[in-house]
Amino acid sequence: MLDLIIKNGKVVSDGSVVSVDVGVKNGKIAALGANLNGAETVADARDFYVLPGAVDAHTHLAMPFGGTVTADGYLSGTRAAVCGGTTTVFDYAIQRKGGGIVETVKKRREMCETEACCDYAFHAAITDLGESESLLDEFDAAAAYGITSFKTFMVYKKEGMMIGDGMFVKILKRAKETGILINVHAENPDVIDANIEDFRKSGTMTAYYHYLSRPEFVEEEAVKRAIHFAAAVRAPLYIVHLASVGGVKAAEAAKRDGHSVYAETCPHYLEYTSDVYKRPDGVNFICSPPMKGPKSRDALRKAVADGLIDTVATDHCPFKRSEKEWGKDDFTKTPNGCAGIETMYPYMLSLANAGKISYPRAVELCSTAPARLFGCKDKGGLHIGKDADIVLYDPKKPFTVSAGNMHSDGDHTIWEGLRLKGYPVKTFLRGKLVYDNGEYVGVPGEGKYIKRAKFSCQ
Ligand code: URP
Ligand code: ZN
Ligand code: ZN
């Protein structure tokens, strides 16, 4: 006897769409076939797509940043995630000066134990190697604990998060030896600071100058530098939140040359351009890297469709409207980051619905590829034996995004007013219904920590 059968849907997995029933037992996919029978619960998915839950490989929940803390903690952030069809999040645990990697992650994991509404993993963000670079000796222990990817920041000097090139290369080398994938935020900090200094002198500090302080070449140079170092020491590299046409070209060239370089972008770079910073609410869009010009947006759209971009993630990092307003006359005072955890999968699926990408491609970008790259063997597809993280998507359901119909603790969203055709109607987390037609119906704390495997995609 199965626990759940999802009947009559179009199942998207492994690059194809097939009409098949899905059977679930003990939280796992237990059967795939025509006319399955014999379950406690039957969900009719006629006219719906049946998809693996999204794996959002980039979030910042309960993160102290920019003089405050992100508006979503683990409870509200993961609640919002499942309401948008995301069943796994990868949060960034920031290791601070003197702190250990496992110690940092353990503290975050404790918070999740009572709060998480979906499954979760952590990337550690390395900001300091400690005395005698002792942190390098902790990489093995971190991998054994299931932390098999680290983020490094080439920016955020004054926030104390930036690492220099020398440290970056040391981290790459040690990561390669220990099966860890390095994620990099690539922007050139000195050029940004020089631009800000000039704008301050000329008294031009409104939101649009945030973009002008970090134009396309600022990311392009850093992406090239990061790839150069990774290729030189033959370490794999994952570039987070890629936003510029030059960065896309650099990643493309590296892949062509056979380097293990992976690229992530975010829905906001696919939808918006730097024009958003000219809007009266421009500060709300301040994030780093900023939205760029139309050439970058178009190059990213093409790269998403063509296969050059490996993953789409949110970089969910929301701040309250009043906090974003801190920078209305001086953009450097606005905490960087925007909301997206609940809108990513609906947005990417709406591209599939509109024929801009295929459904299998949307699933590959948002679920299968991040699960594979980051060592989550039970996630990312609808195969027998995988976790039954399942989304029913109604391609006809109209939905207009508004802060009021999101499930986050944020009080605004950069996606306000976006009209989507198609929306998730049910989300199952390991076979249990957690989202039902607009309502969160799960229990906080039921999300589980994912102990990840070492990187092995080379
Ligand atoms: O503006 C952003 N992206 N804030 C979050 C931190 C980061 O750089 O990912
Ligand atoms: Zn970043
Ligand atoms: Zn981020």
Side-chain angles (χ1 to χ4, degrees):
M1 177 89 163
L2 293 163
D3 300 329
L4 166 71
I5 296 175
I6 297 170
K7 284 192 92 63
N8 306 317
K10 292 188 277 265
V11 173
V12 185
S13 191
D14 281 332
S16 61
V17 185
V18 276
S19 294
V20 75
D21 296 346
V22 182
V24 175
K25 180 89 190 159
N26 297 331
K28 296 277 182 189
I29 296 176
L32 291 166
N35 304 317
L36 294 184
N37 279 306
E40 257 169 52
T41 309
V42 175
D44 188 9
R46 189 174 302 278
D47 301 326
F48 297 163
Y49 286 94
V50 181
L51 314 160
V55 174
D56 183 352
H58 191 153
T59 71
H60 300 277
L61 301 175
M63 182 175 83
F65 195 56
T68 180
V69 179
T70 49
D72 276 321
Y74 288 105
L75 200 161
S76 64
T78 55
R79 180 182 64 207
V82 295
C83 295
T86 290
T87 46
T88 300
V89 299
F90 277 66
D91 201 50
Y92 277 98
I94 317 279
Q95 172 266 347
R96 304 276 173 182
K97 203 171 169 53
I101 301 168
V102 176
E103 172 202 6
T104 302
V105 166
K106 273 189 177 163
K107 281 192 196 130
R108 298 257 137 196
R109 190 175 165 184
E110 265 167 35
M111 293 159 86
C112 287
E113 261 152 27
T114 52
E115 296 188 15
C117 305
C118 70
D119 289 352
Y120 53 94
F122 297 96
H123 308 284
I126 306 294
T127 65
D128 157 67
L129 290 182
E131 253 176 59
S132 327
E133 300 178 338
S134 58
L135 211 79
L136 294 170
D137 300 330
E138 212 202 324
F139 282 27
D140 266 327
Y145 192 76
I147 315 156
T148 52
S149 48
F150 300 161
K151 184 171 181 179
T152 49
F153 293 97
M154 294 168 97
V155 286
Y156 301 139
K157 210 190 292 182
K158 69 173 187 314
E159 290 84 353
M161 288 154 79
M162 186 187 112
I163 58 152
D165 292 346
M167 205 201 286
F168 182 56
V169 173
K170 284 187 188 190
I171 290 172
L172 282 169
K173 283 188 188 160
R174 185 76 189 123
K176 182 190 166 192
E177 288 161 7
T178 48
I180 286 164
L181 177 59
I182 294 303
N183 304 354
V184 67
H185 175 144
E187 290 185 290
N188 184 308
D190 293 339
V191 177
I192 296 167
D193 284 350
N195 286 336
I196 292 175
E197 204 180 303
D198 283 350
F199 296 145
R200 201 177 290 290
K201 274 187 206 143
S202 58
T204 45
M205 293 295 282
T206 53
Y208 190 65
Y209 290 84
H210 172 64
Y211 160 61
L212 292 180
S213 70
R214 309 169 103 104
E216 279 75 348
F217 72 89
V218 162
E219 182 184 80
E220 181 182 352
E221 183 278 332
V223 166
K224 285 181 175 161
R225 186 158 34 102
I227 290 174
H228 176 79
F229 290 136
V233 300
R234 295 179 187 277
L237 183 69
Y238 178 91
I239 303 160
V240 299
H241 49 47
L242 195 65
S244 66
V245 56
V248 168
K249 285 188 182 154
E252 191 173 20
K255 281 174 185 264
R256 210 175 36 237
D257 291 346
H259 299 305
S260 297
V261 168
Y262 306 95
E264 167 197 285
T265 193
C266 312
H268 42 279
Y269 302 120
L270 298 173
E271 181 65 17
Y272 297 117
T273 67
S274 53
D275 278 353
V276 291
Y277 299 112
K278 296 176 181 163
R279 289 169 41 159
D281 62 347
V283 284
N284 289 343
F285 292 80
I286 289 184
C287 60
S288 291
M291 277 51 116
K292 304 286 203 279
K295 276 197 185 139
S296 290
R297 181 183 62 179
D298 295 350
L300 286 162
R301 285 179 175 175
K302 187 168 178 302
V304 155
D306 290 355
L308 176 90
I309 292 287
D310 294 280
T311 65
V312 169
T314 63
D315 196 7
H316 182 76
C317 188
F319 295 99
K320 299 272 186 198
R321 196 192 294 266
S322 57
E323 294 163 341
K324 298 299 274 186
E325 286 285 318
W326 291 343
K328 74 180 172 14
D329 301 318
D330 175 352
F331 66 82
T332 63
K333 298 204 167 102
T334 287
N336 283 206
C338 301
I341 206 164
E342 193 165 347
T343 41
M344 173 182 79
Y345 214 19
Y347 177 80
M348 294 306 294
L349 291 167
S350 80
L351 299 185
N353 211 357
K356 293 185 176 148
I357 55 174
S358 67
Y359 277 97
R361 179 76 182 128
V363 165
E364 165 74 13
L365 286 161
C366 299
S367 178
T368 314
R372 182 177 63 236
L373 277 172
F374 291 117
C376 303
K377 66 171 180 26
D378 295 331
K379 306 292 185 188
L382 299 178
H383 307 184
I384 292 178
K386 289 231 186 219
D387 285 351
D389 295 343
I390 303 171
V391 174
L392 305 193
Y393 176 77
D394 177 356
K396 294 210 175 84
K397 187 180 165 117
F399 189 88
T400 303
V401 178
S402 181
N405 59 21
M406 296 286 98
H407 297 79
S408 129
D409 276 352
D411 58 2
H412 67 106
T413 166
I414 58 166
W415 298 98
E416 185 73 34
L418 181 82
R419 290 158 74 138
L420 297 170
K421 182 167 167 248
Y423 210 74
V425 287
K426 285 186 198 298
T427 304
F428 297 89
L429 176 68
R430 284 176 276 102
K432 182 173 176 288
L433 188 67
V434 290
Y435 168 75
D436 195 9
N437 249 313
E439 298 292 325
Y440 171 65
V441 295
V443 181
E446 66 193 334
K448 285 199 176 139
Y449 173 71
I450 303 169
K451 187 173 172 214
R452 297 185 287 128
K454 288 186 176 186
F455 174 75
S456 68
C457 286
Q458 278 147 311

